[in-house]
Amino acid sequence: MANPGRHVLTLRDLSDDDVRTIVGRGAEFASDLRAAESRLAGRVVGVYFRKTSTRTRTSFSAGAMRLGAQVVSYGPDDLQTNTGETTQDTARVLGGMVDGLVMRTAGLREEMDVFSRHCGAVVNAMSADEHPTQALADLTTLTVELGRVEGVRLLYVGEGNNTAAALALALSRFPGTALELRTPPGYGLDPGILAEARETAARTGASVAERHDMADLPEQVDAVYTTRWQTTGTDKPDPDWRTAFAPFRVDRAVMRRCPGAGFMHDLPAHRGEEVTAEVLDGPDSIAFAQAQHKLHSAMAVLEWCLGR
């Protein structure tokens, strides 16, 4: 068995204090990468991605190395699960060789649960239902770029996907925050996650609301957030789904209805679909700073999981 660590399979694994610790540490790394020196020296981190990734895979790989760890990287065709070995057997073997495993499957989280029973620390780098490390990176972005998370008012526009789910579960932890989701009819946030986020918000003094239109947008907004319409690893059964999504494109007209708001996007972006080029590349966009903060946040997650 590898050295014991802590898992981040879902934001439910983290207490409010844990979230604040990780986000605060990510902001520290953003201001000074030298704070990372040798924090994970002697550790070995496996990075196992079965779906495409630019930012998340690079941030965890580069982040582990900046912290002093060694990295073993696996692509979708590299492990013997492709030739019939069971997930359980693979997990037992890897658990004795690496200290932590960062996984992206874009499938159900049950597979990650199997690995977590054998590996010292497992990080969910995206599953079908939740993208917890994206939300931690988003909170780090708000901390660095806006100076705070508490009291932030955020308008999310687009599909109620795994990024939206994680954002709702994370932002509702912070007092005074207001998250309004505008999602196409039939593509809203999972009702169970929405109820859980609202329950958390009631405890912390935050608010979470969802509507399925673009009328009466809130004017007092600190950031407008969207994601690409076709999430990694998913397909939409309705062949005419783009018609439902078209009114939810973030363009200059939407941004004018939210004066002073920054623009966020988890990337990759498809200009002309979920966002126009003039917004993504415009002066209000912090989307590429947000991408850089994935590195800082990934380092904070790895340190929290393996740094004890």
Side-chain angles (χ1 to χ4, degrees), residues 103 109 111 137 150 190 206 214 227 232 238 244 246 263 289 292 298:
M103 295 184 64
R109 204 170 58 237
E111 182 181 7
E150 288 85 354
D190 176 89
M214 290 293 285
T227 68
T232 299
D238 178 9
F263 174 73
Q292 292 299 311

Side-chain angles (χ1 to χ4, degrees), residues 11 16 19-20 139 149 152 165-179 193-208:
L11 287 162
D16 291 356
V19 172
R20 291 176 182 276
L139 296 184
V149 178
V152 162
L167 191 62
L169 292 173
L171 195 62
S172 58
R173 309 265 193 127
F174 289 79
T177 58
L179 173 63
I193 291 177
L194 180 60
E196 184 177 349
R198 284 174 168 166
E199 183 177 345
T200 300
R203 172 174 61 81
T204 62
S207 68
V208 178

